[in-house]
mmCIF file of all heavy atoms in Angstrom:
data_model
loop_
_atom_site.group_PDB
_atom_site.id
_atom_site.type_symbol
_atom_site.label_atom_id
_atom_site.label_comp_id
_atom_site.label_asym_id
_atom_site.label_seq_id
_atom_site.Cartn_x
_atom_site.Cartn_y
_atom_site.Cartn_z
ATOM 1 N N ASN O 99 28.461 3.687 -3.350
ATOM 2 C CA ASN O 99 28.038 2.802 -4.443
ATOM 3 C C ASN O 99 29.190 2.034 -5.072
ATOM 4 O O ASN O 99 28.986 1.279 -6.026
ATOM 5 C CB ASN O 99 27.317 3.634 -5.515
ATOM 6 C CG ASN O 99 26.499 2.789 -6.447
ATOM 7 O OD1 ASN O 99 25.887 1.788 -6.044
ATOM 8 N ND2 ASN O 99 26.472 3.159 -7.719
ATOM 9 N N LEU O 100 30.393 2.209 -4.578
ATOM 10 C CA LEU O 100 31.542 1.521 -5.161
ATOM 11 C C LEU O 100 31.539 0.039 -4.785
ATOM 12 O O LEU O 100 31.188 -0.331 -3.659
ATOM 13 C CB LEU O 100 32.850 2.162 -4.669
ATOM 14 C CG LEU O 100 33.104 3.613 -5.122
ATOM 15 C CD1 LEU O 100 34.390 4.127 -4.505
ATOM 16 C CD2 LEU O 100 33.149 3.704 -6.638
ATOM 17 N N ARG O 101 31.950 -0.795 -5.743
ATOM 18 C CA ARG O 101 32.108 -2.224 -5.485
ATOM 19 C C ARG O 101 33.520 -2.489 -4.961
ATOM 20 O O ARG O 101 34.449 -1.712 -5.224
ATOM 21 C CB ARG O 101 31.871 -3.027 -6.766
ATOM 22 C CG ARG O 101 30.474 -2.857 -7.360
ATOM 23 C CD ARG O 101 30.360 -3.596 -8.673
ATOM 24 N NE ARG O 101 29.070 -3.399 -9.297
ATOM 25 C CZ ARG O 101 27.990 -4.141 -9.070
ATOM 26 N NH1 ARG O 101 28.072 -5.170 -8.225
ATOM 27 N NH2 ARG O 101 26.852 -3.901 -9.682
ATOM 28 N N PRO O 102 33.737 -3.617 -4.266
ATOM 29 C CA PRO O 102 35.084 -3.946 -3.810
ATOM 30 C C PRO O 102 36.006 -4.213 -4.995
ATOM 31 O O PRO O 102 35.600 -4.759 -6.017
ATOM 32 C CB PRO O 102 34.874 -5.212 -2.957
ATOM 33 C CG PRO O 102 33.425 -5.225 -2.627
ATOM 34 C CD PRO O 102 32.723 -4.556 -3.750
ATOM 35 N N ASP O 103 37.245 -3.815 -4.854
ATOM 36 C CA ASP O 103 38.251 -4.073 -5.888
ATOM 37 C C ASP O 103 38.769 -5.508 -5.767
ATOM 38 O O ASP O 103 38.936 -6.023 -4.655
ATOM 39 C CB ASP O 103 39.427 -3.106 -5.747
ATOM 40 C CG ASP O 103 39.059 -1.701 -6.187
ATOM 41 O OD1 ASP O 103 38.218 -1.561 -7.089
ATOM 42 O OD2 ASP O 103 39.611 -0.745 -5.609
ATOM 43 N N PRO O 104 39.020 -6.169 -6.922
ATOM 44 C CA PRO O 104 39.649 -7.498 -6.848
ATOM 45 C C PRO O 104 41.087 -7.392 -6.354
ATOM 46 O O PRO O 104 41.727 -6.348 -6.490
ATOM 47 C CB PRO O 104 39.578 -8.000 -8.289
ATOM 48 C CG PRO O 104 39.485 -6.758 -9.118
ATOM 49 C CD PRO O 104 38.744 -5.744 -8.303
ATOM 50 N N VAL O 105 41.576 -8.499 -5.789
ATOM 51 C CA VAL O 105 42.923 -8.538 -5.222
ATOM 52 C C VAL O 105 43.772 -9.489 -6.057
ATOM 53 O O VAL O 105 43.373 -10.648 -6.276
ATOM 54 C CB VAL O 105 42.901 -8.979 -3.745
ATOM 55 C CG1 VAL O 105 44.317 -9.034 -3.177
ATOM 56 C CG2 VAL O 105 42.037 -8.022 -2.925
ATOM 57 N N LEU O 106 44.911 -9.007 -6.540
ATOM 58 C CA LEU O 106 45.836 -9.825 -7.309
ATOM 59 C C LEU O 106 46.860 -10.442 -6.360
ATOM 60 O O LEU O 106 47.484 -9.739 -5.565
ATOM 61 C CB LEU O 106 46.527 -8.988 -8.379
ATOM 62 C CG LEU O 106 47.504 -9.735 -9.295
ATOM 63 C CD1 LEU O 106 46.758 -10.782 -10.126
ATOM 64 C CD2 LEU O 106 48.229 -8.739 -10.208
ATOM 65 N N LEU O 107 47.029 -11.791 -6.460
ATOM 66 C CA LEU O 107 47.930 -12.525 -5.567
ATOM 67 C C LEU O 107 49.052 -13.165 -6.372
ATOM 68 O O LEU O 107 48.843 -13.589 -7.517
ATOM 69 C CB LEU O 107 47.164 -13.603 -4.810
ATOM 70 C CG LEU O 107 45.930 -13.136 -4.008
ATOM 71 C CD1 LEU O 107 45.163 -14.341 -3.488
ATOM 72 C CD2 LEU O 107 46.350 -12.238 -2.877
ATOM 73 N N GLY O 108 50.193 -13.255 -5.790
ATOM 74 C CA GLY O 108 51.323 -13.921 -6.436
ATOM 75 C C GLY O 108 52.373 -14.295 -5.412
ATOM 76 O O GLY O 108 52.573 -13.579 -4.430
ATOM 77 N N ASP O 109 53.022 -15.450 -5.605
ATOM 78 C CA ASP O 109 54.089 -15.841 -4.694
ATOM 79 C C ASP O 109 55.053 -16.783 -5.401
ATOM 80 O O ASP O 109 54.717 -17.417 -6.404
ATOM 81 C CB ASP O 109 53.521 -16.498 -3.428
ATOM 82 C CG ASP O 109 52.844 -17.813 -3.734
ATOM 83 O OD1 ASP O 109 53.551 -18.835 -3.868
ATOM 84 O OD2 ASP O 109 51.580 -17.810 -3.825
ATOM 85 N N SER O 110 56.265 -16.841 -4.869
ATOM 86 C CA SER O 110 57.307 -17.789 -5.312
ATOM 87 C C SER O 110 57.822 -18.515 -4.074
ATOM 88 O O SER O 110 58.212 -17.867 -3.081
ATOM 89 C CB SER O 110 58.462 -17.041 -6.001
ATOM 90 O OG SER O 110 57.997 -16.375 -7.165
ATOM 91 N N GLN O 111 57.839 -19.841 -4.119
ATOM 92 C CA GLN O 111 58.240 -20.638 -2.960
ATOM 93 C C GLN O 111 59.435 -21.551 -3.302
ATOM 94 O O GLN O 111 59.650 -21.899 -4.462
ATOM 95 C CB GLN O 111 57.063 -21.494 -2.478
ATOM 96 C CG GLN O 111 55.819 -20.676 -2.111
ATOM 97 C CD GLN O 111 54.704 -21.541 -1.583
ATOM 98 O OE1 GLN O 111 54.946 -22.448 -0.767
ATOM 99 N NE2 GLN O 111 53.491 -21.271 -2.050
ATOM 100 N N PHE O 112 60.141 -21.910 -2.240
ATOM 101 C CA PHE O 112 61.272 -22.845 -2.323
ATOM 102 C C PHE O 112 62.403 -22.309 -3.203
ATOM 103 O O PHE O 112 63.024 -23.048 -3.957
ATOM 104 C CB PHE O 112 60.820 -24.224 -2.837
ATOM 105 C CG PHE O 112 59.582 -24.744 -2.153
ATOM 106 C CD1 PHE O 112 58.415 -24.961 -2.874
ATOM 107 C CD2 PHE O 112 59.576 -25.009 -0.790
ATOM 108 C CE1 PHE O 112 57.282 -25.437 -2.264
ATOM 109 C CE2 PHE O 112 58.434 -25.479 -0.179
ATOM 110 C CZ PHE O 112 57.276 -25.702 -0.894
ATOM 111 N N LEU O 113 62.653 -21.030 -3.136
ATOM 112 C CA LEU O 113 63.773 -20.451 -3.871
ATOM 113 C C LEU O 113 65.051 -20.660 -3.061
ATOM 114 O O LEU O 113 65.082 -20.455 -1.838
ATOM 115 C CB LEU O 113 63.532 -18.962 -4.121
ATOM 116 C CG LEU O 113 62.327 -18.607 -5.000
ATOM 117 C CD1 LEU O 113 62.204 -17.110 -5.121
ATOM 118 C CD2 LEU O 113 62.442 -19.261 -6.366
ATOM 119 N N PRO O 114 66.167 -21.037 -3.687
ATOM 120 C CA PRO O 114 67.431 -21.318 -2.965
ATOM 121 C C PRO O 114 68.194 -20.048 -2.641
ATOM 122 O O PRO O 114 69.307 -19.811 -3.138
ATOM 123 C CB PRO O 114 68.187 -22.214 -3.934
ATOM 124 C CG PRO O 114 67.742 -21.748 -5.284
ATOM 125 C CD PRO O 114 66.300 -21.352 -5.139
ATOM 126 N N ILE O 115 67.604 -19.243 -1.792
ATOM 127 C CA ILE O 115 68.241 -17.977 -1.472
ATOM 128 C C ILE O 115 69.557 -18.200 -0.724
ATOM 129 O O ILE O 115 70.556 -17.517 -0.972
ATOM 130 C CB ILE O 115 67.277 -17.112 -0.657
ATOM 131 C CG1 ILE O 115 65.980 -16.846 -1.457
ATOM 132 C CG2 ILE O 115 67.931 -15.785 -0.269
ATOM 133 C CD1 ILE O 115 66.206 -16.117 -2.746
ATOM 134 N N PHE O 116 69.578 -19.180 0.176
ATOM 135 C CA PHE O 116 70.770 -19.429 0.979
ATOM 136 C C PHE O 116 71.723 -20.451 0.323
ATOM 137 O O PHE O 116 72.757 -20.783 0.893
ATOM 138 C CB PHE O 116 70.371 -19.912 2.370
ATOM 139 C CG PHE O 116 69.504 -18.914 3.108
ATOM 140 C CD1 PHE O 116 68.131 -19.096 3.195
ATOM 141 C CD2 PHE O 116 70.080 -17.781 3.673
ATOM 142 C CE1 PHE O 116 67.344 -18.179 3.863
ATOM 143 C CE2 PHE O 116 69.287 -16.872 4.342
ATOM 144 C CZ PHE O 116 67.904 -17.055 4.438
#
Side-chain angles (χ1 to χ4, degrees):
N99 197 37
L100 294 177
R101 299 176 183 272
D103 287 329
V105 179
L106 182 64
L107 305 172
D109 66 81
S110 298
Q111 302 183 43
F112 313 117
L113 297 178
I115 301 299
F116 301 102

